[in-house]
Amino acid sequence: MTRKLAFRTRVCLLLAILAMGIAPIGGPAPLGVGTGRALAAPAPVEVAIGLTALPVSLDPVQDNGLTALATYSLLYDRLIDIDDRGNERPSVATSWRAVNDRTWEFKIRTGVRFHNGEPLDAAAVKFAIDRALTAPQSRFRTTLGPISRVNAPDATTVIVETSEPFAFLPSRLGTRVWFYPPRYFQERDVAGFTAAPVGSGPFRFVSWQRDNFVLLDRHDAYWGGAVQIARIRLRHMPDYNSRLTALEARELHLGYIMDVDDAERLERGGFRTVVQPIGQGFQYFFRTTIASPLRDVRVRQAFNHAVNKDLIARVFFAGKTRVLQGQPVGPDAQGFDADIKPYAFDQRRARQLLAEAGHPDGFALPMDIGIGFAPRAKEVAEMVAGDLRAIGVRTQIQENERGVYLDKLVNARMGPMWELSLNYAPSFDLLPVLNNFICDTLHKSHCDPQFDALYRRWVGSFNEADQKRLGNQALRYVSQQALALFLWQIPGIYVTSPNLQGVRFRGDYTMNLTQATVR
Amino acid sequence: MGKFLARRLLQVPLIVVLVLTIIFFTLRLSGDPAALYVGQDARAEDLANVRRMLGLDAPLPVQYARFLVNALRGNFGQSLRYNEPALPILLERWPVSIQLAVASLVLSLLIGLPVGIVSALRRGSLLDRVSMTAAMLGQGAPVFWIGVVLIVIFSVRLRWLPASGSGTWQHLVLPSLTLGAFFASRVARFTRTAILEALPQDFVRTARAKGLSEARVLWAHIAKNAAIPVITVTGLTIPALIGGAVITESVFSWPGVGNAIIAAVYNRDYPIVQSGVFVISLLVLATNIAVDVLYAALDPRIRFD
């Protein structure tokens, strides 16, 4: 009898212990949005936004990814902003000029304060730039340009010196470095600051949980004007279907969607879709540095003529993105040349060029694509392969998982034709584009000393007219040499709920919520 | 029992080292983590700097030796992605993962045990057929499909429960139902089989001959003897529920351990993957030992000495 009781007691005890585990333990605070209509705690006016990723840290030097910009831009300010057409706009810097070919001067806006009341002055700007260049955690140590020294001679002036002429310093530095109060940061150090960050942006920090959510409240004294939305919750939702169902369940007011068909379905349910082309030109790079028929410019041009880009863009993106006009950037890039003639879809001309290059019967070619970098990459590759097959080129699509793809890229192991979403956001200038065609790249796709010389003159040119002319020459070289199969800009497809209005999207995945309202 | 336990505990470090060795080398076969840390327009010297900073410039055997020495001290290094010690980053995810695992386990036992028992006692009946068909579907249907169906019904259509996120009991319902459906089916099938095996045994006949009530025969004799396979399957289920609920976590944006490990694999964040595998392998070993001990506690015929 005792043993019988003991067995039952043990079973009951086990179940009781298991049941105790159900009680929420250490989870985040309950969501105001997302608990469904019937659960109905009185809903605060809170806008929930589903992002593909939150930053790895709220310390803004620790994440240099484009996906982090959406969060940082709400919490922090930077020297220069980019509007929804890709144009530079003064932000914390009211103006900037080259003092000489190695010195830049930025004038800092007066009266701007951080959320904790500290002034955002030249000293704060210098502190943030210095830290971005030197902090062990910084991901910007090598990406801001050849900066040798930063000075703040007075509260409204920042002088940046470079070790060599670098004409692109304002856009590079101005769009990448975010500001935070130096005294507050020094009192808390990295961990303390990351736990409770302070910026000067339209929203101030409330709470966050890594890879889960960031909660921000309106900053009532925002220097850029009154903000309408009281609270926003940014949610880390890397899974596409999860974002989609959360939108359908009305748990999100705004979400980034990758599929036009899904966006159209949501539109039928009352959502609004906004398509903002991103500052990323989707293309297939040609490696002219390795043995393949693609070393011949006629073959590269033939490929550009053979592919029906408009049709593919219509099929996969309902025509809602911009097809690249024979160059690697869209019209939102500073330096875009509207006079460059795009490669028309003309398979007869393509076959003729192939024949002239000595390949009348075509050839076989491997084609490297990456998984998870661009929407519909696999389907697009298959359609491109179909068009190339029509001119006799038999491509073998090689799918590369993200890590493998990046490994191949940085170690110059890509095949003769490989997919690249060429990123020119957040600065929207030609520098991050054209520097992919010089000899000294990691992927080693092209090497022409003449182009390198032109590139160097362009980067070191401070005369505005010269810079424009040289940049245009370099861009035309890339176009005429057909160094890539130019396809389209990555479309940023956003879906917003009917009660959210006034959001403006930019081509660097950031959004301007200062004028947004929610019913 | 003491000797058995000592022997099993002595095996733990060896198995853990073996697992860590496998994961160390397999991870390094598939890509250069430095590639994820340099920008698109980086130069060779930038890449070299990153490799030096991450300690990836040393020969592989040196990296392995450093890793093992540090791992034995409980130091799995700094996460390459988060710039913070890897183990605490992973451990901060455990509460939500355990929460989901416990809820799913309770659910699967609460559903699976009675269904299995009733099906066995009413073998061949309509109830048995319906239950076992449902169990087969529960095991056969992909977890993501069950998750999506539940979301469509309860979140999108009815708006009763949240489709994603964590933090309240409402958030727990759909993921635990999704995960629990699979394991409940398994528990039900195992329970049914175990009881069917116990039913014709002599001790059951003897118990009935003694005049015991059917309930007492069931609970005191049949259930106790049928418990061992059920405990085995439950024991094996626990680590899978905590570390292997990747799909469920992904479908419901549940910020648990499985999601963290998958993201780390995706980003080649070796320290996070290694510490995750370390913790999960410890969990598997601990559960296995606990199950072995439970065998002996439940069945006096089992002696490990």
Side-chain angles (χ1 to χ4, degrees), chain A residues 37-344:
Chain A
R37 209 165 43 192
L39 306 175
V45 183
E46 175 182 299
V47 171
I49 300 173
L51 300 175
T52 53
L54 289 176
V56 297
S57 166
L58 290 185
D59 173 7
V61 303
Q62 294 195 34
D63 197 333
N64 60 357
L66 268 190
T67 49
L69 293 181
T71 304
Y72 289 160
S73 66
L74 297 168
L75 190 54
Y76 302 107
D77 282 314
R78 53 187 172 181
L79 285 174
I80 298 169
D81 256 342
I82 297 291
D83 67 15
D84 45 2
R85 291 166 180 266
N87 300 313
E88 288 180 352
R89 291 275 176 265
S91 179
V92 169
T94 52
S95 64
W96 51 93
R97 70 184 181 99
V99 178
N100 57 51
D101 68 357
R102 289 167 197 248
T103 310
W104 285 89
E105 181 191 81
F106 293 86
K107 295 308 278 185
I108 305 302
R109 190 178 295 278
T110 53
V112 179
R113 290 192 169 272
F114 290 107
H115 302 151
N116 68 342
E118 271 189 64
L120 198 177
D121 54 13
V125 172
K126 172 180 159 48
F127 178 80
I129 298 174
D130 283 341
R131 194 167 164 263
L133 291 168
T134 56
Q137 307 87 355
S138 175
R139 292 280 162 87
F140 295 92
R141 281 186 293 178
T142 60
T143 57
L144 296 180
I147 297 171
S148 55
R149 202 156 61 146
V150 182
N151 286 317
D154 60 59
T156 59
T157 310
V158 172
I159 304 290
V160 181
E161 294 174 23
T162 59
S163 57
E164 57 190 80
F166 186 57
F168 292 89
L169 186 90
S171 60
R172 191 146 274 226
L173 180 71
T175 56
R176 284 171 167 82
V177 177
W178 304 90
F179 305 122
Y180 37 93
R183 205 179 62 226
Y184 178 84
F185 182 89
Q186 284 161 331
E187 282 166 7
R188 280 160 180 78
D189 209 352
V190 180
F193 177 80
T194 306
V198 170
S200 59
F203 293 88
R204 59 182 175 77
F205 174 81
V206 177
S207 63
W208 84 298
Q209 194 178 64
R210 195 197 314 270
D211 292 346
N212 191 1
F213 71 92
V214 174
L215 195 60
L216 304 172
D217 272 355
R218 175 175 58 211
H219 176 45
D220 289 322
Y222 180 53
W223 63 269
V227 181
Q228 305 299 316
I229 293 171
R231 171 170 280 197
I232 52 176
R233 180 181 293 270
L234 304 170
R235 292 183 56 190
H236 178 79
M237 304 182 86
D239 184 73
Y240 175 66
N241 289 313
S242 185
R243 285 200 304 280
L244 202 60
T245 50
L247 276 163
E248 287 182 295
R250 300 292 200 274
E251 288 173 22
L252 294 178
H253 293 89
L254 197 166
Y256 173 65
I257 292 298
M258 286 157 68
D259 198 303
V260 172
D261 297 338
D262 290 328
E264 285 176 353
R265 187 161 50 82
L266 286 165
E267 269 180 7
R268 289 195 289 275
F271 286 87
R272 274 196 300 271
T273 303
V274 180
V275 181
Q276 167 67 50
I278 302 295
Q280 282 180 302
F282 180 74
Q283 44 221 304
Y284 291 106
F285 259 44
F286 299 136
R287 286 194 72 193
T288 60
T289 51
I290 57 173
S292 92
L294 285 166
R295 289 185 75 139
D296 190 318
V297 64
R298 290 167 295 187
V299 176
R300 301 196 295 270
Q301 288 170 342
F303 274 39
N304 269 289
H305 281 298
V307 175
N308 192 341
K309 299 149 195 167
D310 290 307
L311 176 68
I312 302 177
R314 250 199 330 273
V315 169
F316 291 121
F317 307 114
K320 288 183 173 174
T321 190
R322 293 187 193 126
V323 172
L324 295 175
Q325 301 298 301
Q327 52 197 307
V329 293
D332 50 357
Q334 298 148 39
F336 168 81
D337 186 348
D339 294 331
I340 288 179
K341 204 173 155 199
Y343 289 93

Side-chain angles (χ1 to χ4, degrees), chain A residues 7 10 18 25 30 34 139 141 172 210-211 235 242 251 401-402 406-407 411 421 423 435 438 440, chain B residues 32 36-37 40-41 43 51 53 80 82 84 92-93 95 102 162-164 253 266-268 297-298:
Chain A
F7 173 69
R10 276 179 239 162
L18 291 172
I25 30 179
R139 292 280 162 87
R141 281 186 293 178
R172 191 146 274 226
R210 195 197 314 270
D211 292 346
R235 292 183 56 190
S242 185
E251 288 173 22
E401 183 268 341
R402 179 182 154 89
L406 290 171
D407 184 52
N411 293 300
S421 294
N423 189 14
N435 67 11
I438 60 173
D440 184 23
Chain B
D32 181 355
L36 291 135
Y37 295 87
Q40 204 171 56
D41 49 356
R43 300 285 169 264
R51 285 202 179 115
M53 189 181 82
L80 306 182
Y82 298 103
E84 288 176 33
E92 74 187 28
R93 305 271 197 138
V102 170
S164 60
S253 290
Y266 192 61
N267 289 302
R268 300 297 188 272
L298 286 173

Side-chain angles (χ1 to χ4, degrees), chain B residues 54-134:
Chain B
L54 301 178
L56 299 166
D57 55 339
L60 204 56
V62 175
Q63 286 185 47
Y64 175 64
R66 279 182 195 156
F67 160 69
L68 266 192
V69 169
N70 286 328
L72 291 174
R73 294 177 186 150
N75 174 12
F76 287 87
Q78 295 269 116
S79 157
L80 306 182
R81 189 160 172 253
Y82 298 103
N83 276 318
E84 288 176 33
L87 194 56
I89 288 176
L90 204 75
L91 292 178
E92 74 187 28
R93 305 271 197 138
W94 280 88
V96 280
S97 274
I98 290 173
Q99 201 178 320
L100 176 59
V102 170
S104 310
L105 188 63
V106 169
L107 209 64
S108 56
L109 292 177
L110 287 179
I111 297 169
L113 287 175
V115 167
I117 292 168
V118 172
S119 289
L121 295 178
R122 304 269 183 275
R123 187 186 183 184
S125 67
L126 182 66
L127 188 70
D128 177 32
R129 280 185 222 150
V130 170
S131 308
M132 285 305 107
T133 307

